[in-house]
Amino acid sequence: QVQLVESGGGLVQAGGSLRLSCAASGRTFSSYAMGWFRQAPGKERDIVAAISGSNIMTYYADSVKGRFTISRDNAKNTVYLQMNNLKPEDTAVYYCAAADKRVIPPRRTDFGSWGQGTQVTVSS
Protein backbone atom coordinates (compact mmCIF):
# COMPACT_ATOMS: atom_id res chain seq x y z
CA GLN A 1 0.00 0.00 0.00
CA VAL A 2 0.95 3.61 -0.43
CA GLN A 3 0.33 6.54 1.87
CA LEU A 4 -1.65 9.36 0.26
CA VAL A 5 -2.06 12.96 1.36
CA GLU A 6 -4.44 15.33 -0.42
CA SER A 7 -4.30 19.10 -0.47
CA GLY A 8 -5.82 22.01 -2.33
CA GLY A 9 -9.45 21.94 -1.27
CA GLY A 10 -11.35 25.01 -0.18
CA LEU A 11 -14.26 27.35 -0.76
CA VAL A 12 -14.82 28.78 -4.23
CA GLN A 13 -17.64 30.52 -6.04
CA ALA A 14 -19.49 28.85 -8.87
CA GLY A 15 -17.51 29.16 -12.08
CA GLY A 16 -14.22 29.21 -10.23
CA SER A 17 -11.32 26.77 -10.25
CA LEU A 18 -9.38 24.66 -7.80
CA ARG A 19 -6.44 22.31 -8.17
CA LEU A 20 -6.21 19.31 -5.90
CA SER A 21 -2.93 17.53 -5.30
CA CYS A 22 -2.24 14.10 -3.87
CA ALA A 23 1.25 13.20 -2.74
CA ALA A 24 2.11 9.51 -2.50
CA SER A 25 4.81 7.71 -0.57
CA GLY A 26 6.90 4.90 -1.96
CA ARG A 27 9.21 4.33 -4.88
CA THR A 28 6.87 2.49 -7.25
CA PHE A 29 4.31 5.23 -7.83
CA SER A 30 4.21 4.62 -11.59
CA SER A 31 2.97 1.07 -11.01
CA TYR A 32 -0.26 2.35 -9.45
CA ALA A 33 -3.34 3.56 -11.24
CA MET A 34 -4.67 6.62 -9.41
CA GLY A 35 -8.15 7.94 -8.95
CA TRP A 36 -10.07 10.83 -7.51
CA PHE A 37 -13.38 10.12 -5.82
CA ARG A 38 -15.88 12.37 -4.09
CA GLN A 39 -18.54 11.94 -1.48
CA ALA A 40 -21.29 14.43 -0.72
CA PRO A 41 -23.30 14.24 2.53
CA GLY A 42 -25.76 11.36 2.45
CA LYS A 43 -24.42 10.04 -0.85
CA GLU A 44 -22.11 7.25 -1.93
CA ARG A 45 -18.46 7.77 -2.76
CA ASP A 46 -18.28 8.02 -6.55
CA ILE A 47 -15.38 8.10 -8.94
CA VAL A 48 -14.58 11.44 -10.53
CA ALA A 49 -11.52 10.64 -12.62
CA ALA A 50 -8.75 8.07 -12.92
CA ILE A 51 -5.41 7.77 -14.64
CA SER A 52 -3.23 4.79 -15.49
CA GLY A 53 0.24 4.33 -14.08
CA SER A 54 1.84 5.10 -17.42
CA ASN A 55 -0.11 8.37 -17.75
CA ILE A 56 -1.58 7.17 -21.04
CA MET A 57 -5.17 6.34 -20.18
CA THR A 58 -7.68 8.53 -18.34
CA TYR A 59 -11.28 8.15 -17.29
CA TYR A 60 -13.82 10.81 -16.32
CA ALA A 61 -17.29 10.66 -14.90
CA ASP A 62 -19.83 12.19 -17.28
CA SER A 63 -20.64 14.92 -14.78
CA VAL A 64 -17.12 16.36 -14.94
CA LYS A 65 -16.07 15.76 -18.55
CA GLY A 66 -14.78 18.93 -20.14
CA ARG A 67 -14.36 20.66 -16.76
CA PHE A 68 -11.94 18.49 -14.76
CA THR A 69 -8.52 17.21 -15.79
CA ILE A 70 -6.55 14.50 -14.03
CA SER A 71 -2.79 14.34 -14.45
CA ARG A 72 0.22 12.86 -12.70
CA ASP A 73 3.89 13.53 -12.30
CA ASN A 74 5.57 10.21 -11.59
CA ALA A 75 8.88 11.90 -10.82
CA LYS A 76 7.17 13.79 -7.98
CA ASN A 77 4.89 10.93 -6.87
CA THR A 78 1.94 13.27 -7.24
CA VAL A 79 -1.43 13.17 -8.95
CA TYR A 80 -3.49 16.27 -9.63
CA LEU A 81 -7.10 17.15 -10.31
CA GLN A 82 -7.63 20.48 -12.05
CA MET A 83 -11.23 21.54 -11.57
CA ASN A 84 -12.61 24.36 -13.71
CA ASN A 85 -16.06 25.89 -14.04
CA LEU A 86 -17.03 24.50 -10.67
CA LYS A 87 -20.70 24.08 -9.83
CA PRO A 88 -22.47 23.87 -6.45
CA GLU A 89 -23.15 20.20 -7.14
CA ASP A 90 -19.40 19.58 -7.12
CA THR A 91 -19.41 20.25 -3.38
CA ALA A 92 -18.07 17.15 -1.62
CA VAL A 93 -15.12 15.65 0.18
CA TYR A 94 -12.63 14.62 -2.47
CA TYR A 95 -10.48 11.54 -1.93
CA CYS A 96 -7.36 10.38 -3.70
CA ALA A 97 -6.97 6.62 -4.13
CA ALA A 98 -4.41 4.18 -5.49
CA ALA A 99 -4.92 0.80 -7.13
CA ASP A 100 -2.10 -1.73 -7.26
CA LYS A 101 -2.47 -2.05 -11.03
CA ARG A 102 -0.99 -0.09 -13.92
CA VAL A 103 -4.30 0.03 -15.80
CA ILE A 104 -7.43 1.75 -14.53
CA PRO A 105 -9.43 -0.87 -12.65
CA PRO A 106 -13.19 -1.22 -13.14
CA ARG A 107 -14.29 -1.25 -9.50
CA ARG A 108 -13.99 1.15 -6.60
CA THR A 109 -13.00 -1.80 -4.43
CA ASP A 110 -9.88 -2.26 -6.58
CA PHE A 111 -8.50 0.93 -5.06
CA GLY A 112 -6.83 -0.27 -1.88
CA SER A 113 -5.16 2.87 -0.57
CA TRP A 114 -7.00 6.08 0.31
CA GLY A 115 -6.15 9.55 1.48
CA GLN A 116 -7.92 11.35 4.29
CA GLY A 117 -9.95 13.56 1.97
CA THR A 118 -10.12 17.28 1.31
CA GLN A 119 -13.28 19.40 1.39
CA VAL A 120 -14.37 21.28 -1.72
CA THR A 121 -17.25 23.71 -1.30
CA VAL A 122 -18.72 25.60 -4.23
CA SER A 123 -21.05 28.47 -3.41
CA SER A 124 -23.75 29.67 -5.79
Side-chain angles (χ1 to χ4, degrees), residues 35-56:
W36 285 98
F37 293 74
R38 67 186 181 187
Q39 187 168 18
K43 295 188 176 182
E44 292 189 352
R45 189 174 299 186
D46 293 327
I47 191 166
V48 174
I51 188 167
S52 63
S54 61
N55 213 357
I56 295 176

Side-chain angles (χ1 to χ4, degrees), residues 24-103:
S25 64
R27 295 176 291 178
T28 59
F29 181 65
S30 62
S31 67
Y32 288 86
M34 300 297 295
W36 285 98
F37 293 74
R38 67 186 181 187
Q39 187 168 18
K43 295 188 176 182
E44 292 189 352
R45 189 174 299 186
D46 293 327
I47 191 166
V48 174
I51 188 167
S52 63
S54 61
N55 213 357
I56 295 176
M57 298 296 294
T58 56
Y59 166 85
Y60 295 94
D62 287 343
S63 59
V64 306
K65 282 181 181 177
R67 300 188 298 122
F68 290 11
T69 302
I70 189 171
S71 62
R72 66 190 295 162
D73 185 337
N74 286 342
K76 295 182 178 180
N77 281 16
T78 302
V79 62
Y80 306 96
L81 185 68
Q82 178 66 44
M83 304 185 294
N84 298 328
N85 190 22
L86 282 160
K87 304 176 180 180
E89 52 264 42
D90 294 318
T91 295
V93 177
Y94 283 70
Y95 296 90
C96 173
D100 192 10
K101 306 174 188 294
R102 292 186 182 271
V103 297

